[in-house]
Amino acid sequence: MKVTHKIKYSNNNTLPLAAVVKECIEEEESDQRVDNFLFKRYRNVPKSHLYQLLRSGQVRVNGKRIIASYRLQLGDIVRIPPIKMTEKNPSRQIAIAPSSFFTFTALYEDDALLVIDKPGGLAVHGGSGISFGVIEQLRAQNPSWKFLELVHRLDRDTSGVLMLAKKRTALVELHRQIREGLMDKHYLVMVGGEWHNAKQHVKLALNKYVTASGERRVAVSTGEHADSKSMLSHTIFKLQKTWKNFSLLDAELKTGRTHQIRVHLAHLGFPIIGDDKYGDFEINRQLAKARGQNKLTRMFLHAHTLQITHPNTGERMQLKSPLSKDLQKFIDGLENQ
């Protein structure tokens, strides 16, 4: 059943950490050891404590005990017990009151799926210094739901279509569609510069690395970033419109690597405006300081269309999210110049 309604959502960073977390493994996380997965997720927790949780069977995969060297597979469900994080201000970690929820739009919902219009600036899950995200809040808000997992993820600053599964059978089927290239994902993205090609395929090998400050990044696998574990990535870019200093593109993901669109465009010399990791920092600074419709304070990347086959009915579905108000305002400013 197609719906467009509002769901209450918390804007208060107070979701308690003392709760069981269940993580569904996506393509970008598959084939890594479970201990390394936990180390990246909980950077402020001593490794000895995480190993103890593994040895005691408190961390489980698909309901079963595993050893630290177990390699995660696409679709695995990792159960993580309550973990005490090291926080500078632990007094902030109190229970969420229902009155602190705010509303956002559900694009589609039935007994198998929930598709929401995620706002920019909201993390999809907790971890790495973030106490909570979309998945934790929806579980807290709907304790009667026996199953709820992210089908895919969006970066924190990315807005648009985000799909969750309310049944494990739906999750497994949708991950099969992702794995076999049967799910179509399109994003709207604004870049700095004048893009000329009407349609351009970009195929590059990418690999992950860690900066000196401990931040995880992704780079094209050439020179110092060449890696035997590099993975091929493929994006199709279609030009939508150009202005004097900017271009609006449709980006179709053919693979789902971490930061794929962002890294592809930065490598081509057309960084996404507002991108704080791979973008042009001087342009970002100017846009953040601008006034009126010319002001932009986040990355211009919006997941606007998702096509899937419904896991229960077999019906082909297209789910759409209108461009968020802040990004549409920026386009209106370009049109008025």
Side-chain angles (χ1 to χ4, degrees):
M1 179 177 72
K2 186 176 181 180
V3 297
T4 302
H5 62 266
K6 300 293 183 177
I7 297 176
K8 286 188 176 291
Y9 211 144
S10 172
N11 62 352
N12 185 341
N13 293 349
T14 55
L15 188 69
L17 290 170
V20 172
V21 172
K22 291 184 178 179
E23 279 293 319
C24 181
I25 299 303
E26 295 189 8
E27 181 182 9
E28 66 186 52
E29 297 166 327
S30 64
D31 200 38
Q32 69 173 306
R33 288 170 54 122
V34 66
D35 55 352
N36 290 332
F37 168 80
L38 293 172
F39 297 157
K40 293 174 183 177
R41 178 74 187 272
Y42 297 100
R43 295 179 180 274
N44 296 327
V45 177
K47 290 183 178 181
S48 59
H49 181 58
L50 295 174
Y51 275 125
Q52 191 276 329
L53 295 176
L54 284 164
R55 287 194 300 270
S56 63
Q58 295 183 67
V59 174
R60 296 189 173 229
V61 176
N62 302 327
K64 299 178 181 178
R65 296 174 68 120
I66 38 82
I67 59 176
S69 60
Y70 173 82
R71 291 195 174 274
L72 296 167
Q73 302 300 312
L74 181 66
D76 278 351
I77 302 296
V78 182
R79 178 200 182 276
I80 306 170
I83 295 177
K84 185 177 180 180
M85 302 280 283
T86 303
E87 296 287 345
K88 293 182 179 179
N89 187 9
S91 62
R92 295 178 62 192
Q93 297 182 38
I94 58 177
I96 292 178
S99 60
S100 69
F101 289 165
F102 70 89
T103 58
F104 68 98
T105 301
L107 302 172
Y108 179 90
E109 185 176 8
D110 61 18
D111 61 350
L113 298 177
L114 172 63
V115 184
I116 68 170
D117 193 0
K118 187 187 91 66
L122 188 65
V124 296
H125 62 73
S128 298
I130 300 169
S131 296
F132 65 95
V134 171
I135 187 68
E136 288 89 0
Q137 292 193 37
L138 283 174
R139 287 170 181 160
Q141 179 194 337
N142 299 279
S144 64
W145 290 359
K146 296 180 179 180
F147 186 93
L148 185 68
E149 298 292 345
L150 293 161
V151 174
H152 63 108
R153 291 177 183 154
L154 297 177
D155 291 339
R156 185 174 186 175
D157 276 349
T158 304
S159 54
V161 181
L162 180 66
M163 183 165 52
L164 302 97
K166 295 167 73 175
K167 291 184 177 180
R168 179 167 176 77
T169 53
L171 181 69
V172 171
E173 166 57 20
L174 291 167
H175 274 174
R176 182 192 68 81
Q177 294 181 33
I178 293 174
R179 189 169 57 250
E180 297 180 8
L182 303 176
M183 186 179 294
D184 296 329
K185 298 179 184 179
H186 289 259
Y187 293 71
L188 284 174
V189 54
M190 185 78 74
V191 299
E194 188 176 351
W195 187 279
H196 295 287
N197 297 333
K199 182 177 180 179
Q200 182 172 346
H201 288 256
V202 179
K203 296 180 180 180
L204 294 168
L206 304 179
N207 74 279
K208 301 175 185 177
Y209 68 100
V210 180
T211 67
S213 61
E215 283 190 86
R216 286 178 291 171
R217 296 290 178 89
V218 178
V220 175
S221 298
T222 57
E224 63 177 306
H225 295 303
D227 192 311
S228 60
K229 296 182 179 180
S230 298
M231 303 180 74
L232 182 65
S233 58
H234 182 193
T235 311
I236 303 173
F237 293 103
K238 294 180 181 178
L239 179 61
Q240 304 298 298
K241 190 164 185 178
T242 59
W243 294 268
K244 182 178 180 180
N245 298 310
F246 303 99
S247 299
L248 181 67
L249 309 175
D250 173 277
E252 179 183 356
L253 282 181
K254 305 305 289 185
T255 57
R257 313 303 181 206
T258 303
H259 297 171
Q260 177 175 315
I261 296 174
R262 301 165 70 178
V263 176
H264 279 185
L265 290 170
H267 181 75
L268 294 175
F270 290 89
I272 301 176
I273 59 173
D275 188 342
D276 63 356
K277 290 185 182 293
Y278 308 99
D280 185 313
F281 302 123
E282 179 55 29
I283 291 177
N284 293 347
R285 186 185 67 82
Q286 293 175 8
L287 292 175
K289 292 177 64 177
R291 296 182 178 180
Q293 294 179 313
N294 297 319
K295 188 179 183 67
L296 185 69
T297 58
R298 74 166 172 100
M299 179 170 62
F300 197 121
L301 184 59
H302 181 78
H304 72 93
T305 305
L306 182 66
Q307 291 185 345
I308 64 167
T309 298
H310 194 285
N312 287 353
T313 67
E315 175 189 1
R316 193 65 178 170
M317 302 172 58
Q318 185 177 75
L319 303 154
K320 289 187 175 182
S321 165
L323 197 62
S324 57
K325 292 181 180 179
D326 57 340
L327 303 185
Q328 185 60 56
K329 181 179 178 182
F330 184 79
I331 288 180
D332 293 342
L334 295 178
E335 295 285 0
N336 294 333
Q337 289 181 0

